[in-house]
Amino acid sequence: MKFTKTTEQDSNYNNLEKMSITDLLQNINTEDNTVPKAVQKAIPQIETLVEQVVNKLEQGGRLFYLGAGTSGRLGVVDASECPPTFGVSYNVVIGLIAGGDKAIREAVEFAEDSTTQGWNDLTKHNVSKKDVVIGIAASGTTPYVIAALKQCNSEGILTGCITSNSNSPLSKVSKFPIEVIVGPEFVTGSSRMKAGTAQKLVLNMISTTTMIKLGKVKGNKMVDMQLSNDKLVDRGTKMIMSELNITYTEAESLLKTHKSVRNAINHYNNGN
């Protein structure tokens, strides 16, 4: 199958090394401004996939992100931020990267070229039909991701993807593809730039919308967040103050007693 990799096409700019710092920054920003519009066009695809994710997680399933390089790192970031933000277990949203944890900080040569390791990484977590696996690859051609999704399909596991090329091999093997077409990168082929930004925006949308629909947000507050530092304890205390119209000292005492914003609010309301 032939398709055009817009992410690999020549940059709209040339002679970058001759540009001033101001020109470089302004031109990068000009390109970055096109990304939200590309994401907006993909909202119907994102909505369709999120509906599936919510349904699976409501039934006790999990969400897996699978990628290599920048794509894998962004998946790991989004997954790792769900527990502290929404109070879910680290086993609910799981980010896997070609080459393992070492690849989060260092490039692992040829890890993305394996056609077996992606599925092996998933099976280590006992992936099943209850789960959703989203492959992330700007090019849409990463063997580590494509082969894993093919195996997921054969096992009856729901699959989705995030890519920045139309009609890619990855889209073809995904039941619910998301294609965010950002066009050529400022530095030709450097898909950590616009494509990476698009992936981050879409991942934010998927995880945040899913967690809201699962009841992990009240009003607009992170009532289930982990109280892992003084800043978050202070934020939680102020949430309780605002919700219950009580003093900071009272709110802080409730939070320390009940260990979460939600529990503190519920206990106060039930007791009064």
Side-chain angles (χ1 to χ4, degrees):
M1 179 188 70
K2 293 183 178 180
F3 76 103
T4 301
K5 286 188 186 181
T6 58
T7 53
E8 299 291 335
Q9 290 181 338
D10 202 42
S11 172
N12 294 321
Y13 305 80
N14 205 349
N15 300 315
L16 304 187
E17 71 279 12
K18 296 179 181 179
M19 292 182 184
S20 68
I21 290 175
T22 297
D23 286 342
L24 286 168
L25 297 177
Q26 288 179 340
N27 290 332
I28 291 171
N29 183 244
T30 295
E31 289 299 302
D32 287 345
N33 279 330
T34 68
V35 176
K37 294 178 182 178
V39 173
Q40 184 178 36
K41 292 179 181 178
I43 285 178
Q45 293 180 323
I46 301 169
E47 179 183 4
T48 300
L49 178 54
V50 170
E51 288 174 347
Q52 299 295 323
V53 173
V54 171
N55 181 57
K56 288 291 186 180
L57 268 62
E58 282 179 335
Q59 299 178 55
R62 297 166 295 170
L63 169 60
F64 287 88
Y65 296 136
L66 191 73
T70 297
S71 300
R73 294 181 189 104
L74 289 169
V76 170
V77 167
D78 195 72
S80 65
E81 290 177 346
C82 285
T85 305
F86 302 108
V88 296
S89 164
Y90 280 94
N91 194 42
V92 173
V93 184
I94 300 168
L96 301 175
I97 182 171
D101 286 353
K102 179 183 178 182
I104 296 172
R105 295 173 179 81
E106 303 174 16
V108 177
E109 291 185 0
F110 304 109
E112 70 175 55
D113 298 321
S114 173
T115 57
T116 58
Q117 193 57 50
W119 176 248
N120 289 341
D121 289 344
L122 287 167
T123 57
K124 290 176 184 176
H125 292 270
N126 299 312
V127 67
S128 73
K129 292 180 181 180
K130 295 192 300 183
D131 304 320
V132 183
V133 178
I134 299 178
I136 313 170
S139 68
T141 60
T142 307
Y144 171 86
V145 179
I146 294 170
L149 263 61
K150 283 183 179 178
Q151 187 64 40
C152 285
N153 290 335
S154 69
E155 300 287 338
I157 299 167
L158 194 148
T159 58
C161 76
I162 306 170
T163 182
S164 288
N165 285 304
S166 295
N167 301 312
S168 70
L170 180 58
S171 291
K172 296 295 185 183
V173 302
S174 300
K175 298 296 184 182
F176 298 93
I178 296 170
E179 297 177 332
V180 184
I181 313 305
V182 296
E185 297 287 3
F186 181 72
V187 176
T188 299
S190 183
S191 55
R192 70 182 183 85
M193 300 186 77
K194 290 194 297 182
T197 300
Q199 290 170 350
K200 175 58 176 168
L201 292 175
V202 173
L203 288 166
N204 284 347
M205 295 168 81
I206 291 172
S207 59
T208 303
T209 302
T210 297
M211 293 300 158
I212 291 171
K213 298 308 291 183
L214 292 176
K216 296 300 180 180
V217 172
K218 178 177 174 58
N220 57 17
K221 303 298 192 299
M222 301 180 292
V223 293
D224 289 327
M225 67 180 181
Q226 293 179 356
L227 304 172
S228 56
N229 57 50
D230 289 341
K231 177 189 71 174
L232 295 179
V233 171
D234 178 66
R235 181 184 299 170
T237 300
K238 290 174 181 176
M239 287 184 196
I240 296 168
M241 282 179 64
S242 175
E243 179 71 18
L244 302 179
N245 193 27
I246 59 179
T247 67
Y248 187 95
T249 301
E250 291 174 308
E252 185 179 39
S253 177
L254 280 171
L255 186 58
K256 288 181 177 179
T257 299
H258 299 289
K259 310 302 182 184
S260 85
V261 175
R262 182 188 297 276
N263 290 342
I265 292 172
N266 287 344
H267 178 83
Y268 185 92
N269 287 333
N270 291 336
N272 292 273

